[in-house]
Amino acid sequence: MKVYAHRGYSGKYPENTMLAFKEAAKTGCDGIELDVQLTKDGKVVVIHDEAVDRTTDGSGKVKDFTYQELARLNAANLYEGKYGFCGIPLFEDYCKWAAGQDLVTNIELKTGVYYYEELEEKTLELVRKYGLEEKVFYSSFNHLSLLKVKELDPQAVCGALLEHTGIGNAGYYCRRFGLQAYHPGYKGLTEETVRGCRENGIQVNVWTINDMGVLEQLEEWGCDGAITNYPEVCKRWVDRR
Ligand code: G3P
Ligand code: CA
Protein backbone atom coordinates (compact mmCIF):
# COMPACT_ATOMS: atom_id res chain seq x y z
CA MET A 1 0.00 0.00 0.00
CA LYS A 2 1.33 3.44 -0.98
CA VAL A 3 1.65 6.26 1.53
CA TYR A 4 0.95 9.85 0.47
CA ALA A 5 1.73 12.80 2.74
CA HIS A 6 -1.42 14.92 2.99
CA ARG A 7 -0.52 18.60 2.36
CA GLY A 8 3.07 17.40 2.97
CA TYR A 9 4.00 16.25 6.46
CA SER A 10 1.12 18.32 7.82
CA GLY A 11 0.82 16.46 11.13
CA LYS A 12 4.06 18.09 12.25
CA TYR A 13 4.86 21.00 9.91
CA PRO A 14 2.90 23.90 8.38
CA GLU A 15 0.64 22.36 5.74
CA ASN A 16 1.28 22.91 2.03
CA THR A 17 4.67 24.59 2.57
CA MET A 18 8.02 23.61 1.12
CA LEU A 19 9.10 22.73 4.65
CA ALA A 20 6.25 20.21 4.97
CA PHE A 21 7.07 18.77 1.52
CA LYS A 22 10.78 18.41 2.24
CA GLU A 23 10.11 16.82 5.63
CA ALA A 24 7.63 14.43 4.00
CA ALA A 25 10.30 13.38 1.49
CA LYS A 26 12.65 12.49 4.36
CA THR A 27 10.12 9.94 5.69
CA GLY A 28 10.52 7.77 2.59
CA CYS A 29 6.81 8.03 1.74
CA ASP A 30 5.72 7.28 -1.81
CA GLY A 31 4.23 10.64 -2.59
CA ILE A 32 2.85 13.99 -1.60
CA GLU A 33 -0.68 15.33 -1.84
CA LEU A 34 -1.13 19.10 -2.27
CA ASP A 35 -3.83 21.60 -3.20
CA VAL A 36 -3.65 24.18 -6.00
CA GLN A 37 -5.57 27.41 -6.60
CA LEU A 38 -5.11 30.55 -8.72
CA THR A 39 -4.19 34.04 -7.53
CA LYS A 40 -5.76 37.23 -8.88
CA ASP A 41 -2.85 37.57 -11.33
CA GLY A 42 -3.18 33.97 -12.53
CA LYS A 43 -0.35 32.24 -10.63
CA VAL A 44 -0.84 28.64 -9.51
CA VAL A 45 -0.27 28.52 -5.75
CA VAL A 46 -0.27 25.72 -3.20
CA ILE A 47 -2.79 26.30 -0.44
CA HIS A 48 -5.78 24.36 0.87
CA ASP A 49 -8.46 26.83 1.98
CA GLU A 50 -10.05 29.29 -0.41
CA ALA A 51 -9.30 31.96 2.24
CA VAL A 52 -5.90 32.61 3.82
CA ASP A 53 -7.27 33.28 7.32
CA ARG A 54 -6.87 29.86 8.97
CA THR A 55 -3.29 29.08 7.99
CA THR A 56 -1.62 32.49 7.56
CA ASP A 57 -1.33 35.87 9.26
CA GLY A 58 -3.45 37.46 6.54
CA SER A 59 -7.12 37.71 5.80
CA GLY A 60 -9.09 37.38 2.57
CA LYS A 61 -9.56 35.07 -0.37
CA VAL A 62 -6.70 33.59 -2.35
CA LYS A 63 -8.35 34.71 -5.59
CA ASP A 64 -8.27 38.36 -4.45
CA PHE A 65 -4.49 38.50 -3.83
CA THR A 66 -1.76 38.89 -6.42
CA TYR A 67 1.09 36.46 -5.85
CA GLN A 68 3.32 39.31 -4.72
CA GLU A 69 0.81 40.16 -1.99
CA LEU A 70 0.28 36.53 -1.04
CA ALA A 71 4.03 35.92 -0.78
CA ARG A 72 4.24 38.28 2.21
CA LEU A 73 1.95 36.07 4.32
CA ASN A 74 3.34 33.55 6.76
CA ALA A 75 1.88 30.09 6.15
CA ALA A 76 3.46 28.90 9.41
CA ASN A 77 1.27 31.24 11.43
CA LEU A 78 -0.45 28.40 13.33
CA TYR A 79 2.92 27.37 14.79
CA GLU A 80 3.51 30.63 16.67
CA GLY A 81 7.07 31.25 15.52
CA LYS A 82 8.32 27.64 15.83
CA TYR A 83 9.16 27.45 12.12
CA GLY A 84 9.80 31.14 11.47
CA PHE A 85 8.53 32.34 8.11
CA CYS A 86 7.22 29.86 5.53
CA GLY A 87 5.74 31.33 2.38
CA ILE A 88 2.80 30.04 0.38
CA PRO A 89 4.62 28.18 -2.41
CA LEU A 90 4.19 28.83 -6.07
CA PHE A 91 3.33 25.51 -7.68
CA GLU A 92 6.24 26.19 -10.02
CA ASP A 93 8.67 26.20 -7.07
CA TYR A 94 7.23 22.90 -5.91
CA CYS A 95 7.66 21.44 -9.43
CA LYS A 96 11.30 22.58 -9.59
CA TRP A 97 11.99 20.77 -6.33
CA ALA A 98 9.88 17.70 -7.15
CA ALA A 99 11.70 17.16 -10.45
CA GLY A 100 14.73 16.02 -8.42
CA GLN A 101 12.80 13.79 -6.02
CA ASP A 102 11.82 10.15 -6.20
CA LEU A 103 8.22 10.95 -5.29
CA VAL A 104 4.87 11.10 -6.99
CA THR A 105 2.56 14.06 -6.47
CA ASN A 106 -1.19 13.98 -6.09
CA ILE A 107 -2.31 17.39 -7.31
CA GLU A 108 -5.73 18.32 -6.00
CA LEU A 109 -7.40 20.97 -8.17
CA LYS A 110 -9.36 23.12 -5.72
CA THR A 111 -12.18 24.05 -8.05
CA GLY A 112 -15.05 22.98 -5.81
CA VAL A 113 -15.92 26.36 -4.27
CA TYR A 114 -14.57 28.80 -6.87
CA TYR A 115 -14.08 27.65 -10.39
CA TYR A 116 -10.67 29.03 -11.36
CA GLU A 117 -10.67 29.52 -15.12
CA GLU A 118 -7.53 27.93 -16.61
CA LEU A 119 -6.28 26.34 -13.38
CA GLU A 120 -6.16 23.00 -15.20
CA GLU A 121 -4.27 24.43 -18.22
CA LYS A 122 -1.75 26.30 -16.08
CA THR A 123 -1.16 23.36 -13.76
CA LEU A 124 -0.60 20.93 -16.62
CA GLU A 125 1.70 23.41 -18.33
CA LEU A 126 3.95 23.53 -15.26
CA VAL A 127 3.88 19.76 -14.90
CA ARG A 128 5.00 19.52 -18.53
CA LYS A 129 7.63 22.24 -18.15
CA TYR A 130 9.35 20.27 -15.37
CA GLY A 131 8.90 16.86 -17.00
CA LEU A 132 6.69 15.56 -14.21
CA GLU A 133 3.98 13.95 -16.36
CA GLU A 134 4.85 10.43 -15.21
CA LYS A 135 5.19 11.47 -11.58
CA VAL A 136 1.84 13.14 -10.95
CA PHE A 137 -1.81 12.25 -10.69
CA TYR A 138 -4.74 14.61 -10.34
CA SER A 139 -7.78 14.66 -8.10
CA SER A 140 -10.67 17.03 -7.49
CA PHE A 141 -14.05 17.16 -5.82
CA ASN A 142 -15.15 18.92 -9.01
CA HIS A 143 -15.10 16.00 -11.41
CA LEU A 144 -15.58 18.30 -14.40
CA SER A 145 -12.07 19.60 -13.66
CA LEU A 146 -10.80 16.05 -14.07
CA LEU A 147 -12.62 15.64 -17.38
CA LYS A 148 -10.94 18.86 -18.49
CA VAL A 149 -7.54 17.47 -17.45
CA LYS A 150 -8.26 14.36 -19.52
CA GLU A 151 -9.14 16.55 -22.52
CA LEU A 152 -5.86 18.41 -22.15
CA ASP A 153 -3.83 15.25 -21.60
CA PRO A 154 -5.60 11.94 -22.23
CA GLN A 155 -2.68 10.11 -20.55
CA ALA A 156 -3.09 12.00 -17.26
CA VAL A 157 -4.04 9.82 -14.30
CA CYS A 158 -7.08 11.18 -12.46
CA GLY A 159 -8.91 10.23 -9.28
CA ALA A 160 -12.48 11.24 -8.35
CA LEU A 161 -12.44 12.80 -4.88
CA LEU A 162 -15.50 12.15 -2.75
CA GLU A 163 -16.49 13.18 0.75
CA HIS A 164 -16.90 10.45 3.36
CA THR A 165 -20.35 9.40 2.12
CA GLY A 166 -18.72 8.35 -1.17
CA ILE A 167 -20.65 6.63 -3.95
CA GLY A 168 -21.61 2.96 -3.94
CA ASN A 169 -20.97 2.32 -7.63
CA ALA A 170 -17.62 4.13 -7.55
CA GLY A 171 -15.85 1.57 -9.73
CA TYR A 172 -18.34 1.86 -12.57
CA TYR A 173 -18.61 5.64 -12.10
CA CYS A 174 -14.87 6.19 -12.49
CA ARG A 175 -14.51 3.79 -15.40
CA ARG A 176 -17.51 5.34 -17.16
CA PHE A 177 -15.83 8.76 -17.02
CA GLY A 178 -12.37 7.49 -17.93
CA LEU A 179 -10.91 8.18 -14.47
CA GLN A 180 -8.30 5.80 -13.09
CA ALA A 181 -8.81 6.17 -9.35
CA TYR A 182 -11.35 6.71 -6.60
CA HIS A 183 -10.35 8.95 -3.66
CA PRO A 184 -12.98 8.67 -0.91
CA GLY A 185 -12.93 9.78 2.70
CA TYR A 186 -12.52 6.60 4.77
CA LYS A 187 -15.57 6.82 7.02
CA GLY A 188 -18.23 5.62 4.59
CA LEU A 189 -16.03 3.30 2.54
CA THR A 190 -17.07 -0.35 2.43
CA GLU A 191 -15.31 -3.52 1.33
CA GLU A 192 -17.97 -3.93 -1.34
CA THR A 193 -17.15 -0.54 -2.87
CA VAL A 194 -13.44 -1.38 -2.88
CA ARG A 195 -14.26 -4.71 -4.55
CA GLY A 196 -16.33 -2.88 -7.17
CA CYS A 197 -13.40 -0.60 -7.90
CA ARG A 198 -11.04 -3.53 -8.29
CA GLU A 199 -13.46 -5.28 -10.66
CA ASN A 200 -13.52 -2.13 -12.78
CA GLY A 201 -9.73 -1.70 -12.70
CA ILE A 202 -9.97 1.43 -10.55
CA GLN A 203 -7.37 2.23 -7.90
CA VAL A 204 -8.56 3.28 -4.44
CA ASN A 205 -6.63 5.96 -2.53
CA VAL A 206 -8.27 6.89 0.76
CA TRP A 207 -8.02 10.03 2.93
CA THR A 208 -7.17 11.07 5.63
CA ILE A 209 -5.71 8.06 7.45
CA ASN A 210 -4.10 8.93 10.76
CA ASP A 211 -5.16 5.78 12.63
CA MET A 212 -3.29 2.51 12.05
CA GLY A 213 -6.43 0.47 12.81
CA VAL A 214 -8.13 2.13 9.84
CA LEU A 215 -5.00 1.61 7.73
CA GLU A 216 -5.01 -2.10 8.55
CA GLN A 217 -8.63 -2.43 7.49
CA LEU A 218 -8.00 -0.61 4.22
CA GLU A 219 -5.04 -2.82 3.47
CA GLU A 220 -7.12 -5.94 4.11
CA TRP A 221 -9.74 -4.67 1.69
CA GLY A 222 -7.06 -4.18 -0.97
CA CYS A 223 -6.89 -0.39 -1.16
CA ASP A 224 -3.96 1.01 -3.11
CA GLY A 225 -3.01 4.11 -1.16
CA ALA A 226 -3.48 6.03 2.06
CA ILE A 227 -3.28 9.82 2.27
CA THR A 228 -2.09 10.75 5.76
CA ASN A 229 -0.94 13.68 7.89
CA TYR A 230 1.66 11.33 9.47
CA PRO A 231 3.64 9.78 6.60
CA GLU A 232 6.43 8.67 8.94
CA VAL A 233 4.13 6.56 11.11
CA CYS A 234 2.17 5.13 8.18
CA LYS A 235 5.29 4.30 6.20
CA ARG A 236 6.83 2.52 9.18
CA TRP A 237 3.62 0.53 9.63
CA VAL A 238 3.43 -0.44 5.95
CA ASP A 239 7.12 -1.43 5.86
CA ARG A 240 6.70 -3.64 8.93
CA ARG A 241 3.87 -5.51 7.20
O1 G3P B 1 -7.00 14.37 -1.33
C1 G3P B 1 -7.54 14.03 -0.13
C2 G3P B 1 -7.89 15.21 0.72
O2 G3P B 1 -6.87 16.15 0.61
C3 G3P B 1 -9.18 15.83 0.36
O3 G3P B 1 -9.64 16.70 1.30
O4 G3P B 1 -10.06 18.90 2.24
O5 G3P B 1 -7.95 17.75 2.79
O6 G3P B 1 -8.30 18.69 0.55
P1 G3P B 1 -8.94 18.08 1.72
CA1 CA C 1 -6.39 18.06 -0.58
Side-chain angles (χ1 to χ4, degrees):
M1 184 137 137
K2 306 273 192 216
V3 174
Y4 302 104
H6 182 233
R7 311 180 196 171
Y9 194 161
S10 62
K12 237 170 133 177
Y13 300 94
E15 66 180 56
N16 279 327
T17 62
M18 289 310 299
L19 174 65
F21 301 140
K22 288 175 181 171
E23 290 298 329
K26 288 182 195 166
T27 70
C29 65
D30 300 280
I32 286 173
E33 188 266 0
L34 54 77
D35 307 283
V36 293
Q37 301 188 49
L38 271 193
T39 61
K40 189 176 164 184
D41 54 339
K43 303 281 185 209
V44 184
V45 284
V46 184
I47 183 165
H48 177 269
D49 297 5
E50 285 76 14
V52 300
D53 301 54
R54 179 180 62 86
T55 52
T56 79
D57 49 355
S59 179
K61 295 185 175 135
V62 173
K63 69 183 181 63
D64 296 330
F65 286 87
T66 62
Y67 180 66
Q68 207 179 22
E69 289 162 349
L70 212 55
R72 291 190 206 114
L73 306 183
N74 189 0
N77 193 48
L78 285 171
Y79 289 83
E80 296 171 345
K82 187 172 178 193
Y83 296 115
F85 181 88
C86 296
I88 296 170
L90 275 172
F91 180 59
E92 175 149 19
D93 291 337
Y94 175 84
C95 291
K96 257 181 224 165
W97 171 77
Q101 302 295 315
D102 186 20
L103 284 168
V104 295
T105 303
N106 173 190
I107 304 166
E108 180 184 343
L109 298 154
K110 280 276 169 209
T111 47
V113 176
Y114 300 115
Y115 184 72
Y116 298 102
E117 284 291 339
E118 299 198 345
L119 177 62
E120 298 89 351
E121 285 89 341
K122 289 179 181 223
T123 302
L124 266 74
E125 199 178 303
L126 289 166
V127 164
R128 225 173 283 125
K129 180 172 174 186
Y130 290 93
L132 292 170
E133 295 97 322
E134 305 288 317
K135 290 168 72 179
V136 302
F137 56 103
Y138 299 87
S139 62
S140 185
F141 286 106
N142 185 341
H143 300 171
L144 282 176
S145 265
L146 299 176
L147 297 185
K148 193 165 171 192
V149 167
K150 296 296 280 188
E151 269 174 29
L152 294 166
D153 177 6
Q155 305 304 320
V157 175
C158 291
L161 255 172
L162 267 295
E163 295 290 353
H164 285 277
T165 44
I167 35 174
N169 63 342
Y172 175 72
Y173 178 90
C174 292
R175 184 164 60 83
R176 175 74 180 69
F177 287 107
L179 308 175
Q180 291 68 36
Y182 178 50
H183 287 208
Y186 72 89
K187 289 179 191 159
L189 185 64
T190 64
E191 185 171 15
E192 195 185 344
T193 300
V194 176
R195 199 179 312 121
C197 284
R198 300 198 75 76
E199 284 164 7
N200 281 281
I202 301 299
Q203 287 184 26
V204 183
N205 299 313
V206 190
W207 56 274
T208 301
I209 314 305
N210 297 324
D211 175 322
M212 297 310 104
V214 175
L215 188 62
E216 184 168 6
Q217 170 101 100
L218 297 176
E219 197 198 51
E220 280 168 15
W221 289 351
C223 293
D224 301 275
I227 301 168
T228 176
N229 296 346
Y230 297 94
E232 194 170 3
V233 179
C234 274
K235 182 69 174 115
R236 207 179 309 130
W237 188 92
V238 168
D239 286 349
R240 264 210 305 268
R241 302 276 286 188

CSV table of all heavy atoms in Angstrom, one decimal, residues 6-7 33-35 48 108 110 161, ligand 2:
chain,number,residue,atom,x,y,z
A,6,HIS,N,-0.3,14.0,3.2
A,6,HIS,CA,-1.4,14.9,3.0
A,6,HIS,C,-1.0,16.4,3.3
A,6,HIS,O,-0.7,16.7,4.4
A,6,HIS,CB,-2.6,14.5,3.9
A,6,HIS,CG,-3.8,15.3,3.8
A,6,HIS,ND1,-4.4,15.9,4.9
A,6,HIS,CD2,-4.6,15.6,2.7
A,6,HIS,CE1,-5.5,16.5,4.5
A,6,HIS,NE2,-5.6,16.3,3.2
A,7,ARG,N,-1.0,17.2,2.3
A,7,ARG,CA,-0.5,18.6,2.4
A,7,ARG,C,0.9,18.6,2.9
A,7,ARG,O,1.3,19.5,3.6
A,7,ARG,CB,-1.4,19.4,3.3
A,7,ARG,CG,-2.9,19.3,3.0
A,7,ARG,CD,-3.8,20.2,3.9
A,7,ARG,NE,-5.2,19.7,3.9
A,7,ARG,CZ,-6.1,20.2,4.7
A,7,ARG,NH1,-5.8,21.0,5.7
A,7,ARG,NH2,-7.3,19.7,4.6
A,33,GLU,N,0.6,14.7,-1.4
A,33,GLU,CA,-0.7,15.3,-1.8
A,33,GLU,C,-0.6,16.8,-1.5
A,33,GLU,O,-0.1,17.2,-0.5
A,33,GLU,CB,-1.9,14.7,-1.1
A,33,GLU,CG,-3.2,15.1,-1.6
A,33,GLU,CD,-3.9,16.3,-0.9
A,33,GLU,OE1,-3.3,16.9,0.0
A,33,GLU,OE2,-5.0,16.7,-1.3
A,34,LEU,N,-1.1,17.7,-2.5
A,34,LEU,CA,-1.1,19.1,-2.3
A,34,LEU,C,-2.3,19.7,-3.0
A,34,LEU,O,-2.9,19.0,-3.9
A,34,LEU,CB,0.2,19.8,-2.7
A,34,LEU,CG,0.7,19.5,-4.1
A,34,LEU,CD1,0.0,20.3,-5.2
A,34,LEU,CD2,2.2,19.8,-4.2
A,35,ASP,N,-2.6,20.9,-2.7
A,35,ASP,CA,-3.8,21.6,-3.2
A,35,ASP,C,-3.4,22.8,-4.0
A,35,ASP,O,-2.6,23.6,-3.6
A,35,ASP,CB,-4.7,22.1,-2.0
A,35,ASP,CG,-5.0,21.0,-1.1
A,35,ASP,OD1,-5.9,20.1,-1.4
A,35,ASP,OD2,-4.4,20.9,0.0
A,48,HIS,N,-4.6,25.2,0.8
A,48,HIS,CA,-5.8,24.4,0.9
A,48,HIS,C,-7.1,25.2,0.9
A,48,HIS,O,-8.0,25.0,0.1
A,48,HIS,CB,-5.7,23.5,2.1
A,48,HIS,CG,-7.0,22.7,2.3
A,48,HIS,ND1,-8.1,23.1,3.0
A,48,HIS,CD2,-7.4,21.5,1.8
A,48,HIS,CE1,-9.0,22.3,3.0
A,48,HIS,NE2,-8.7,21.2,2.2
A,108,GLU,N,-4.3,18.1,-6.1
A,108,GLU,CA,-5.7,18.3,-6.0
A,108,GLU,C,-6.1,19.7,-6.5
A,108,GLU,O,-5.6,20.7,-6.0
A,108,GLU,CB,-6.2,18.2,-4.5
A,108,GLU,CG,-7.7,18.4,-4.5
A,108,GLU,CD,-8.4,18.4,-3.2
A,108,GLU,OE1,-7.8,17.9,-2.2
A,108,GLU,OE2,-9.5,18.9,-3.1
A,110,LYS,N,-8.4,22.6,-6.6
A,110,LYS,CA,-9.4,23.1,-5.7
A,110,LYS,C,-10.4,24.0,-6.5
A,110,LYS,O,-10.4,25.2,-6.4
A,110,LYS,CB,-8.7,24.0,-4.6
A,110,LYS,CG,-8.1,23.1,-3.5
A,110,LYS,CD,-9.1,22.8,-2.5
A,110,LYS,CE,-8.6,21.7,-1.5
A,110,LYS,NZ,-9.6,20.9,-1.0
A,161,LEU,N,-12.4,12.6,-6.3
A,161,LEU,CA,-12.4,12.8,-4.9
A,161,LEU,C,-13.9,12.8,-4.4
A,161,LEU,O,-14.7,13.5,-5.1
A,161,LEU,CB,-11.8,14.1,-4.6
A,161,LEU,CG,-10.4,14.2,-4.0
A,161,LEU,CD1,-9.9,15.6,-3.9
A,161,LEU,CD2,-10.3,13.5,-2.6
B,2,CA,CA,-6.4,18.1,-0.6
